[in-house]
Amino acid sequence: MTDTARLRESAALLQPDLAALRRDLHQEPEIGLNLPLTQAKVLAALEGLPLEITLGEKLSSVTAVLRGGRPGPVVLLRADMDALPVQETNDLPYVSRFPGVMHACGHDLHVAGLVGAARLLAEHRDELPGSVVFMFQPGEEGDGGAQLMVEEGLLDAAGVQPVAAYALHVGASMLPGGWAATRPGPIMAAADSLRVVMHGRGGHGSAPHSALDPIPAACEAVTALQTMVTRRFDAFDPVVVTVGTFHAGTINNVIPDDAMFAATIRSFSPEARARVLEEVLRVVRGVGEAHGLTVEAEVTEGYPVTVNDHGEAAFAAATATELLGANNYIEMPHPVAGAEDFAVIGELVPAAYLMLGACPPDRDPFTAPYNHSPEAQFDDAVIGSGAALLAALALGRLRRES
């Protein structure tokens, strides 16, 4: 029996336990960096395995090292653990018990899948030519958990730096259940933010000439940003600038002193990212100053572009094809505009990030509610496949080095 067949068979046996773990996690979701209940569930699920476990200091992370029976390099596998501030509207027996908090992005499946991978690889420990680091990470949804784990020694947990890192992300839509997808190069966008305050001079709405109205200038700046996107950037290395908040004034007949708006900025290459962060400031300052306003503009950098190493992406694609079947793998034609702090790992270690379809069989993946929706649902049945895929990536990559 091939390694792939053995992993599939063992993962199928683990599937009921992994699905039960996922549902337990789903019922008690936690947000941010402090996830004590989730951490305790992970530790209980790993109990009895031959792992060296380290807990985070600034966050509720779990880093577990499995040392193989033969010397060799290190591979890192990652799962994010945090939930979202979303009120779940699903009618499920394992719906979230916590008001306003939901595993709407499938991180509960990620955790269960990585626990499964740890169990599968522990079964193969004697033949494992190297070590595997299992990274259970809080704070992916905007809190920078990956960077904190790196600062606390994640990449040195096994004594030497990993030669490769892999992560899966499930989708409630877009891909049929059980299908995998990835691509070389950029796979997720960088996500940065812009905050602008235009300071004018208030006055009566009947006499705008005696005031310095910040609202028209702020509106003009919003539209100027959209023009900038289409006129200053290559369509084949695009950027996205979306203004999500705009606030000014308190009543219809008073010109306010200030107008404020904020935007998210997405980009798909380090070069475009660096340039757009300069351009947005230039545009809004220029518009405001042309109207005689004082402009307060600030960019806050978020997650960088998630870039798949070409060699690791090709290996991950071949592994997924062998494990899941050629009909269940597809190469993504373009990146996704969401952002992901696995990008931090990818800047330090050759990495590959894969998508795994988890759309329930009774839903159309092209119309199903998306990740982050209060109606998002994920099919437990794919967890075994995710666990087997992570294990196959680690085992195959270590054997390639031996």
Side-chain angles (χ1 to χ4, degrees), residues 136-191:
F136 293 91
Q137 178 210 317
E140 188 280 324
E141 298 287 356
D143 291 291
Q147 181 62 42
L148 288 173
M149 290 188 71
V150 168
E151 291 171 3
E152 292 190 354
L154 168 75
L155 300 182
D156 297 314
V160 295
Q161 295 261 316
V163 296
Y166 306 102
L168 299 179
H169 202 302
V170 295
S173 60
M174 297 173 63
L175 279 175
W179 284 40
T182 192
R183 70 187 308 274
I187 186 169
M188 299 283 277

Short mmCIF file of all heavy atoms in Angstrom, two decimals, residues 136-191:
data_model
loop_
_atom_site.label_atom_id
_atom_site.label_comp_id
_atom_site.label_asym_id
_atom_site.label_seq_id
_atom_site.Cartn_x
_atom_site.Cartn_y
_atom_site.Cartn_z
N PHE A 136 -0.49 25.99 15.92
CA PHE A 136 -1.88 26.33 16.20
C PHE A 136 -1.92 27.80 16.61
O PHE A 136 -1.49 28.16 17.70
CB PHE A 136 -2.43 25.44 17.32
CG PHE A 136 -2.55 23.98 16.94
CD1 PHE A 136 -1.50 23.10 17.17
CD2 PHE A 136 -3.71 23.49 16.36
CE1 PHE A 136 -1.60 21.75 16.84
CE2 PHE A 136 -3.83 22.15 16.03
CZ PHE A 136 -2.77 21.28 16.27
N GLN A 137 -2.45 28.64 15.73
CA GLN A 137 -2.27 30.08 15.83
C GLN A 137 -3.55 30.85 16.14
O GLN A 137 -4.53 30.77 15.40
CB GLN A 137 -1.71 30.61 14.51
CG GLN A 137 -1.52 32.11 14.50
CD GLN A 137 -1.68 32.72 13.13
OE1 GLN A 137 -1.18 32.18 12.15
NE2 GLN A 137 -2.38 33.84 13.04
N PRO A 138 -3.57 31.62 17.21
CA PRO A 138 -4.65 32.59 17.42
C PRO A 138 -4.43 33.84 16.55
O PRO A 138 -3.39 34.02 15.92
CB PRO A 138 -4.52 32.96 18.90
CG PRO A 138 -3.57 31.97 19.49
CD PRO A 138 -2.68 31.54 18.37
N GLY A 139 -5.42 34.70 16.56
CA GLY A 139 -5.24 36.06 16.05
C GLY A 139 -4.94 36.18 14.58
O GLY A 139 -4.17 37.06 14.20
N GLU A 140 -5.54 35.35 13.73
CA GLU A 140 -5.33 35.54 12.29
C GLU A 140 -6.20 36.66 11.74
O GLU A 140 -5.80 37.37 10.82
CB GLU A 140 -5.62 34.24 11.53
CG GLU A 140 -5.23 34.28 10.06
CD GLU A 140 -6.23 34.98 9.15
OE1 GLU A 140 -7.46 34.86 9.40
OE2 GLU A 140 -5.81 35.67 8.21
N GLU A 141 -7.39 36.82 12.32
CA GLU A 141 -8.36 37.78 11.78
C GLU A 141 -8.01 39.22 12.17
O GLU A 141 -8.78 39.92 12.82
CB GLU A 141 -9.77 37.42 12.26
CG GLU A 141 -10.28 36.06 11.80
CD GLU A 141 -10.64 36.03 10.33
OE1 GLU A 141 -10.58 37.09 9.67
OE2 GLU A 141 -10.99 34.95 9.84
N GLY A 142 -6.81 39.63 11.79
CA GLY A 142 -6.42 41.02 11.96
C GLY A 142 -5.54 41.32 13.15
O GLY A 142 -5.10 42.46 13.31
N ASP A 143 -5.24 40.33 13.99
CA ASP A 143 -4.48 40.60 15.21
C ASP A 143 -3.00 40.23 15.11
O ASP A 143 -2.27 40.36 16.10
CB ASP A 143 -5.11 39.85 16.39
CG ASP A 143 -6.47 40.43 16.76
OD1 ASP A 143 -6.50 41.56 17.27
OD2 ASP A 143 -7.49 39.76 16.52
N GLY A 144 -2.56 39.74 13.97
CA GLY A 144 -1.14 39.50 13.78
C GLY A 144 -0.57 38.37 14.59
O GLY A 144 0.59 38.42 15.03
N GLY A 145 -1.33 37.31 14.78
CA GLY A 145 -0.86 36.19 15.60
C GLY A 145 0.36 35.50 15.05
O GLY A 145 1.22 35.05 15.82
N ALA A 146 0.49 35.40 13.74
CA ALA A 146 1.64 34.71 13.16
C ALA A 146 2.94 35.43 13.52
O ALA A 146 3.93 34.80 13.88
CB ALA A 146 1.49 34.60 11.64
N GLN A 147 2.93 36.76 13.41
CA GLN A 147 4.13 37.51 13.74
C GLN A 147 4.51 37.34 15.20
O GLN A 147 5.69 37.20 15.54
CB GLN A 147 3.92 39.00 13.42
CG GLN A 147 5.13 39.88 13.70
CD GLN A 147 6.34 39.50 12.86
OE1 GLN A 147 6.21 39.22 11.67
NE2 GLN A 147 7.52 39.49 13.48
N LEU A 148 3.52 37.35 16.08
CA LEU A 148 3.80 37.15 17.51
C LEU A 148 4.41 35.78 17.76
O LEU A 148 5.33 35.63 18.56
CB LEU A 148 2.52 37.33 18.32
CG LEU A 148 2.00 38.76 18.46
CD1 LEU A 148 0.65 38.77 19.16
CD2 LEU A 148 2.99 39.63 19.22
N MET A 149 3.90 34.75 17.08
CA MET A 149 4.46 33.41 17.26
C MET A 149 5.89 33.34 16.75
O MET A 149 6.74 32.68 17.35
CB MET A 149 3.57 32.37 16.58
CG MET A 149 2.24 32.15 17.27
SD MET A 149 1.28 30.77 16.60
CE MET A 149 2.25 29.35 17.19
N VAL A 150 6.15 34.01 15.65
CA VAL A 150 7.53 34.06 15.14
C VAL A 150 8.44 34.73 16.17
O VAL A 150 9.54 34.26 16.46
CB VAL A 150 7.58 34.80 13.79
CG1 VAL A 150 9.03 35.11 13.39
CG2 VAL A 150 6.91 33.97 12.70
N GLU A 151 7.97 35.83 16.74
CA GLU A 151 8.78 36.55 17.73
C GLU A 151 9.02 35.72 18.98
O GLU A 151 10.04 35.88 19.67
CB GLU A 151 8.08 37.86 18.09
CG GLU A 151 8.07 38.87 16.95
CD GLU A 151 7.20 40.08 17.24
OE1 GLU A 151 6.65 40.16 18.37
OE2 GLU A 151 7.05 40.93 16.34
N GLU A 152 8.11 34.81 19.28
CA GLU A 152 8.26 33.95 20.46
C GLU A 152 9.00 32.65 20.16
O GLU A 152 9.06 31.76 21.00
CB GLU A 152 6.89 33.65 21.07
CG GLU A 152 6.25 34.87 21.69
CD GLU A 152 5.01 34.59 22.52
OE1 GLU A 152 4.55 33.42 22.53
OE2 GLU A 152 4.50 35.52 23.17
N GLY A 153 9.58 32.54 18.95
CA GLY A 153 10.47 31.43 18.67
C GLY A 153 9.90 30.29 17.88
O GLY A 153 10.50 29.20 17.82
N LEU A 154 8.78 30.49 17.22
CA LEU A 154 8.14 29.43 16.45
C LEU A 154 9.09 28.71 15.50
O LEU A 154 9.15 27.48 15.46
CB LEU A 154 6.97 30.01 15.65
CG LEU A 154 6.36 29.10 14.57
CD1 LEU A 154 5.51 28.02 15.22
CD2 LEU A 154 5.54 29.92 13.57
N LEU A 155 9.84 29.48 14.72
CA LEU A 155 10.67 28.88 13.67
C LEU A 155 11.90 28.17 14.21
O LEU A 155 12.59 27.48 13.46
CB LEU A 155 11.06 29.94 12.64
CG LEU A 155 9.89 30.62 11.93
CD1 LEU A 155 10.39 31.61 10.89
CD2 LEU A 155 8.97 29.59 11.27
N ASP A 156 12.18 28.33 15.50
CA ASP A 156 13.29 27.62 16.13
C ASP A 156 12.80 26.51 17.07
O ASP A 156 13.59 25.93 17.81
CB ASP A 156 14.15 28.60 16.94
CG ASP A 156 14.81 29.65 16.05
OD1 ASP A 156 15.35 29.26 15.00
OD2 ASP A 156 14.73 30.84 16.39
N ALA A 157 11.51 26.21 17.01
CA ALA A 157 10.93 25.25 17.96
C ALA A 157 11.56 23.88 17.86
O ALA A 157 11.71 23.17 18.87
CB ALA A 157 9.42 25.15 17.74
N ALA A 158 11.96 23.47 16.66
CA ALA A 158 12.55 22.15 16.48
C ALA A 158 14.07 22.18 16.47
O ALA A 158 14.72 21.16 16.23
CB ALA A 158 12.05 21.52 15.17
N GLY A 159 14.65 23.35 16.71
CA GLY A 159 16.11 23.46 16.77
C GLY A 159 16.74 24.03 15.52
O GLY A 159 17.81 24.65 15.59
N VAL A 160 16.08 23.83 14.37
CA VAL A 160 16.54 24.41 13.11
C VAL A 160 15.34 24.97 12.37
O VAL A 160 14.20 24.57 12.61
CB VAL A 160 17.28 23.37 12.22
CG1 VAL A 160 18.55 22.90 12.87
CG2 VAL A 160 16.36 22.19 11.90
N GLN A 161 15.59 25.90 11.48
CA GLN A 161 14.51 26.53 10.73
C GLN A 161 13.84 25.53 9.78
O GLN A 161 14.51 24.68 9.19
CB GLN A 161 15.07 27.69 9.93
CG GLN A 161 15.61 28.83 10.77
CD GLN A 161 14.64 29.97 10.92
OE1 GLN A 161 14.01 30.40 9.98
NE2 GLN A 161 14.52 30.49 12.14
N PRO A 162 12.54 25.63 9.59
CA PRO A 162 11.86 24.76 8.62
C PRO A 162 12.36 25.01 7.20
O PRO A 162 12.71 26.14 6.84
CB PRO A 162 10.39 25.16 8.76
CG PRO A 162 10.29 25.81 10.10
CD PRO A 162 11.60 26.50 10.32
N VAL A 163 12.34 23.94 6.41
CA VAL A 163 12.68 24.08 4.99
C VAL A 163 11.44 24.42 4.17
O VAL A 163 11.55 24.84 3.01
CB VAL A 163 13.33 22.79 4.44
CG1 VAL A 163 14.66 22.54 5.13
CG2 VAL A 163 12.41 21.58 4.59
N ALA A 164 10.26 24.19 4.75
CA ALA A 164 9.01 24.47 4.03
C ALA A 164 7.89 24.61 5.05
O ALA A 164 7.97 24.09 6.16
CB ALA A 164 8.69 23.37 3.03
N ALA A 165 6.83 25.32 4.63
CA ALA A 165 5.65 25.49 5.47
C ALA A 165 4.41 25.38 4.60
O ALA A 165 4.40 25.83 3.44
CB ALA A 165 5.68 26.85 6.17
N TYR A 166 3.35 24.80 5.18
CA TYR A 166 2.11 24.58 4.43
C TYR A 166 0.91 24.93 5.30
O TYR A 166 0.92 24.76 6.52
CB TYR A 166 1.98 23.12 3.97
CG TYR A 166 3.18 22.64 3.19
CD1 TYR A 166 4.14 21.83 3.78
CD2 TYR A 166 3.36 23.01 1.86
CE1 TYR A 166 5.25 21.41 3.08
CE2 TYR A 166 4.47 22.59 1.14
CZ TYR A 166 5.41 21.79 1.74
OH TYR A 166 6.51 21.38 1.05
N ALA A 167 -0.15 25.40 4.66
CA ALA A 167 -1.41 25.68 5.35
C ALA A 167 -2.56 25.46 4.37
O ALA A 167 -2.41 25.64 3.16
CB ALA A 167 -1.44 27.12 5.88
N LEU A 168 -3.70 25.08 4.94
CA LEU A 168 -4.94 24.93 4.17
C LEU A 168 -5.94 25.97 4.64
O LEU A 168 -5.97 26.34 5.82
CB LEU A 168 -5.55 23.55 4.39
CG LEU A 168 -4.78 22.30 4.00
CD1 LEU A 168 -5.60 21.07 4.35
CD2 LEU A 168 -4.45 22.31 2.52
N HIS A 169 -6.83 26.39 3.74
CA HIS A 169 -7.97 27.21 4.14
C HIS A 169 -9.22 26.65 3.47
O HIS A 169 -9.28 26.51 2.25
CB HIS A 169 -7.79 28.67 3.74
CG HIS A 169 -8.64 29.59 4.57
ND1 HIS A 169 -10.01 29.47 4.64
CD2 HIS A 169 -8.32 30.61 5.40
CE1 HIS A 169 -10.49 30.38 5.47
NE2 HIS A 169 -9.48 31.09 5.95
N VAL A 170 -10.23 26.34 4.29
CA VAL A 170 -11.47 25.81 3.75
C VAL A 170 -12.34 26.96 3.24
O VAL A 170 -12.22 28.10 3.67
CB VAL A 170 -12.24 25.00 4.81
CG1 VAL A 170 -11.46 23.75 5.21
CG2 VAL A 170 -12.58 25.84 6.03
N GLY A 171 -13.23 26.61 2.32
CA GLY A 171 -14.16 27.60 1.78
C GLY A 171 -15.58 27.09 1.84
O GLY A 171 -15.86 25.94 1.46
N ALA A 172 -16.50 27.94 2.30
CA ALA A 172 -17.92 27.59 2.32
C ALA A 172 -18.54 27.72 0.93
O ALA A 172 -19.65 27.25 0.70
CB ALA A 172 -18.66 28.51 3.29
N SER A 173 -17.81 28.35 0.03
CA SER A 173 -18.30 28.54 -1.34
C SER A 173 -17.09 28.50 -2.28
O SER A 173 -15.98 28.20 -1.87
CB SER A 173 -19.03 29.88 -1.46
OG SER A 173 -18.17 30.95 -1.11
N MET A 174 -17.34 28.77 -3.55
CA MET A 174 -16.32 28.87 -4.59
C MET A 174 -15.83 27.51 -5.09
O MET A 174 -15.71 27.29 -6.29
CB MET A 174 -15.12 29.72 -4.15
CG MET A 174 -15.49 31.17 -3.86
SD MET A 174 -14.13 32.14 -3.16
CE MET A 174 -12.92 32.10 -4.49
N LEU A 175 -15.49 26.59 -4.17
CA LEU A 175 -15.02 25.26 -4.58
C LEU A 175 -16.00 24.19 -4.12
O LEU A 175 -16.53 24.29 -3.00
CB LEU A 175 -13.66 24.96 -3.96
CG LEU A 175 -12.39 25.52 -4.59
CD1 LEU A 175 -11.19 25.17 -3.71
CD2 LEU A 175 -12.19 24.99 -5.99
N PRO A 176 -16.23 23.14 -4.92
CA PRO A 176 -17.04 22.02 -4.43
C PRO A 176 -16.36 21.35 -3.24
O PRO A 176 -15.13 21.39 -3.10
CB PRO A 176 -17.11 21.08 -5.64
CG PRO A 176 -16.80 21.93 -6.83
CD PRO A 176 -15.84 22.98 -6.33
N GLY A 177 -17.12 20.73 -2.39
CA GLY A 177 -16.57 20.04 -1.24
C GLY A 177 -15.55 18.99 -1.63
O GLY A 177 -15.80 18.18 -2.52
N GLY A 178 -14.41 19.00 -0.96
CA GLY A 178 -13.37 18.01 -1.22
C GLY A 178 -12.41 18.37 -2.33
O GLY A 178 -11.42 17.67 -2.54
N TRP A 179 -12.66 19.47 -3.04
CA TRP A 179 -11.72 19.92 -4.07
C TRP A 179 -10.64 20.78 -3.44
O TRP A 179 -10.89 21.52 -2.49
CB TRP A 179 -12.44 20.75 -5.13
CG TRP A 179 -13.27 19.97 -6.11
CD1 TRP A 179 -14.07 18.90 -5.84
CD2 TRP A 179 -13.41 20.24 -7.50
NE1 TRP A 179 -14.70 18.48 -6.98
CE2 TRP A 179 -14.32 19.28 -8.02
CE3 TRP A 179 -12.88 21.18 -8.36
CZ2 TRP A 179 -14.68 19.25 -9.37
CZ3 TRP A 179 -13.24 21.17 -9.70
CH2 TRP A 179 -14.12 20.21 -10.20
N ALA A 180 -9.44 20.69 -3.98
CA ALA A 180 -8.33 21.53 -3.55
C ALA A 180 -7.88 22.42 -4.69
O ALA A 180 -8.07 22.09 -5.87
CB ALA A 180 -7.16 20.69 -3.05
N ALA A 181 -7.29 23.57 -4.34
CA ALA A 181 -6.81 24.50 -5.35
C ALA A 181 -5.64 25.29 -4.78
O ALA A 181 -5.60 25.59 -3.58
CB ALA A 181 -7.92 25.45 -5.79
N THR A 182 -4.71 25.62 -5.63
CA THR A 182 -3.63 26.52 -5.26
C THR A 182 -3.03 27.10 -6.53
O THR A 182 -3.53 26.84 -7.64
CB THR A 182 -2.56 25.82 -4.39
OG1 THR A 182 -1.69 26.81 -3.84
CG2 THR A 182 -1.74 24.82 -5.18
N ARG A 183 -1.98 27.86 -6.41
CA ARG A 183 -1.32 28.45 -7.56
C ARG A 183 0.07 28.90 -7.14
O ARG A 183 0.29 29.20 -5.95
CB ARG A 183 -2.11 29.64 -8.12
CG ARG A 183 -2.11 30.85 -7.22
CD ARG A 183 -3.03 31.98 -7.69
NE ARG A 183 -2.82 32.36 -9.06
CZ ARG A 183 -1.92 33.25 -9.47
NH1 ARG A 183 -1.10 33.82 -8.59
NH2 ARG A 183 -1.81 33.56 -10.74
N PRO A 184 1.02 28.98 -8.06
CA PRO A 184 2.32 29.58 -7.73
C PRO A 184 2.23 31.08 -7.67
O PRO A 184 1.35 31.70 -8.27
CB PRO A 184 3.21 29.12 -8.90
CG PRO A 184 2.25 28.96 -10.05
CD PRO A 184 0.96 28.49 -9.45
N GLY A 185 3.14 31.70 -6.92
CA GLY A 185 3.15 33.15 -6.83
C GLY A 185 2.09 33.67 -5.89
O GLY A 185 1.65 32.98 -4.97
N PRO A 186 1.64 34.92 -6.09
CA PRO A 186 0.66 35.50 -5.18
C PRO A 186 -0.63 34.69 -5.16
O PRO A 186 -1.17 34.32 -6.21
CB PRO A 186 0.41 36.89 -5.78
CG PRO A 186 1.62 37.18 -6.61
CD PRO A 186 2.07 35.86 -7.15
N ILE A 187 -1.13 34.42 -3.95
CA ILE A 187 -2.40 33.69 -3.82
C ILE A 187 -3.41 34.47 -2.99
O ILE A 187 -4.60 34.31 -3.16
CB ILE A 187 -2.16 32.28 -3.23
CG1 ILE A 187 -3.46 31.46 -3.25
CG2 ILE A 187 -1.54 32.33 -1.85
CD1 ILE A 187 -3.27 29.99 -2.94
N MET A 188 -2.92 35.34 -2.09
CA MET A 188 -3.79 36.22 -1.31
C MET A 188 -3.19 37.62 -1.32
O MET A 188 -1.97 37.78 -1.46
CB MET A 188 -3.92 35.72 0.13
CG MET A 188 -4.51 34.33 0.29
SD MET A 188 -6.30 34.29 0.10
CE MET A 188 -6.80 34.76 1.75
N ALA A 189 -4.04 38.61 -1.15
CA ALA A 189 -3.60 40.01 -1.26
C ALA A 189 -2.96 40.51 0.04
O ALA A 189 -3.17 39.96 1.11
CB ALA A 189 -4.79 40.89 -1.60
N ALA A 190 -2.21 41.57 -0.11
CA ALA A 190 -1.84 42.38 1.05
C ALA A 190 -3.06 43.21 1.44
O ALA A 190 -3.87 43.60 0.59
CB ALA A 190 -0.68 43.30 0.72
N ALA A 191 -3.20 43.48 2.74
CA ALA A 191 -4.34 44.28 3.23
C ALA A 191 -3.81 45.40 4.11
O ALA A 191 -3.27 45.14 5.19
CB ALA A 191 -5.32 43.41 4.00
#
